């Protein structure tokens, strides 16, 4: 339905996990030091979750996404060229050292709510902990494995230089011939936090007029907190927990 017919009201649908944990895909590189992906290869190179690609480059071995591993530093020739060092003197690599199958996602019908209300807070704590572990780990990996993001669109590329596929559809892309504008990525480009309103403990419905009093938190964090997890210090500022929320716009006017 058009927004003017809804008078700006949201049309709430049912939730998929992708609504709180936004999927970000990137090209999987067979060789992270190989040639940059040219435009005509853009449909031939597999796209996988960007976070998975980062972990593969950092050492995780997934049989379905092989990648070239070097055990010695490359030998640079001139300004841009290089050759691989001779690794013949090294013992056979332990091929299975980091190899692990990718965990299958739970089938939709097996996803059920916690069996009892008492189990919800511990699941919320566990989930929040996993979110923090993933973000902290990804941040550390990006210090060694550079990630680029387009300044015009959300495309990310796990490599110190961007790819050459001209598939940027963002603002004024015609002037750039579809080329992405690559710049250094930050963690939020790789794992978008998707900020949502923090529901006040009173559980009252949010009112548009009181918007300036409400705080926000990443959707995953907000779900966990509503489930009973403790608020971590770093989220307290944006959640505006220290701000009293007036009960009506009239009271709000008196406060301001
Ligand atoms: Zn772009």
């Amino acid at each position: 339905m058009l927004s003017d017919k809804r008078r700006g009201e949201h049309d709430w649908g049912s939730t998929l996990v992708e609504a709180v944990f936004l999927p970000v895909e990137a090209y999987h590189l067979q060789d992270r030091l190989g040639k940059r992906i040219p435009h005509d290869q853009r449909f031939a190179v597999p796209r996988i979750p960007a976070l998975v690609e980062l972990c593969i480059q950092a050492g995780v071995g997934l049989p379905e996404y092989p990648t070239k591993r070097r055990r010695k530093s490359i030998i640079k020739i001139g300004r841009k060229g290089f050759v691989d060092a001779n690794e013949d003197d090294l013992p056979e690599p332990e091929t299975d050292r980091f190899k692990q199958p990718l965990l299958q996602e739970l089938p939709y019908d097996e996803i059920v709510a916690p069996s009892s209300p008492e189990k919800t807070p511990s699941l919320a704590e566990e989930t929040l902990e996993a979110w923090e572990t993933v973000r902290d780990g990804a941040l550390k990996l990006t210090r060694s494995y550079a990630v680029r993001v387009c300044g015009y669109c959300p495309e990310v590329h796990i490599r110190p230089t961007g790819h050459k596929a001209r598939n940027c559809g963002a603002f004024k892309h015609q002037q750039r011939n579809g080329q992405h504008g690559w710049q250094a990525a930050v963690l939020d480009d790789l794992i978008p936090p998707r900020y949502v309103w923090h529901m006040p403990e009173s559980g009252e419905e949010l009112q548009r007029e009181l918007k300036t009093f409400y705080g926000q938190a990443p959707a995953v964090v907000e779900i966990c907190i509503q489930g009973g997890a403790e608020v971590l210090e770093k989220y307290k500022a944006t959640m505006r927990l220290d701000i009293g929320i007036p009960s009506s716009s009239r009271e709000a006017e008196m406060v301001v």
Side-chain angles (χ1 to χ4, degrees), residues 116-193:
S116 67
E118 300 82 60
K119 287 193 176 153
T120 305
S122 60
L123 180 63
E125 286 288 354
E126 241 171 68
T127 307
L128 187 57
E129 215 170 280
W131 164 259
E132 294 301 320
T133 306
V134 167
R135 292 210 19 124
D136 285 356
L139 183 61
K140 286 179 191 154
L141 292 178
T142 56
R143 296 285 142 90
S144 307
Y145 298 86
V147 180
R148 307 294 282 178
V149 65
C150 176
Y152 303 100
C153 78
E155 176 77 357
V156 296
H157 193 53
I158 318 294
R159 215 189 130 134
T161 48
H163 60 69
K164 290 181 171 173
R166 296 188 300 273
N167 50 5
C168 186
F171 185 60
K172 287 192 177 171
H173 63 90
Q174 297 91 339
Q175 292 177 12
R176 286 177 276 115
N177 197 15
Q179 278 179 16
H180 295 284
W182 296 112
Q183 57 188 42
V186 295
L187 184 61
D188 286 353
D189 297 317
L190 201 61
I191 309 173

Side-chain angles (χ1 to χ4, degrees), residues 54-88:
L54 178 66
C55 294
I56 290 175
Q57 289 192 26
V60 172
L62 297 176
E64 52 280 59
Y65 301 113
T67 193
K68 180 165 181 166
R69 305 265 180 225
R70 293 178 179 81
R71 293 187 295 156
K72 279 188 181 177
S73 303
I74 51 167
I75 301 161
K76 291 207 167 175
I77 306 171
R79 228 167 62 83
K80 283 189 172 172
F82 73 87
V83 288
D84 288 336
N86 186 340
E87 296 186 354
D88 288 351

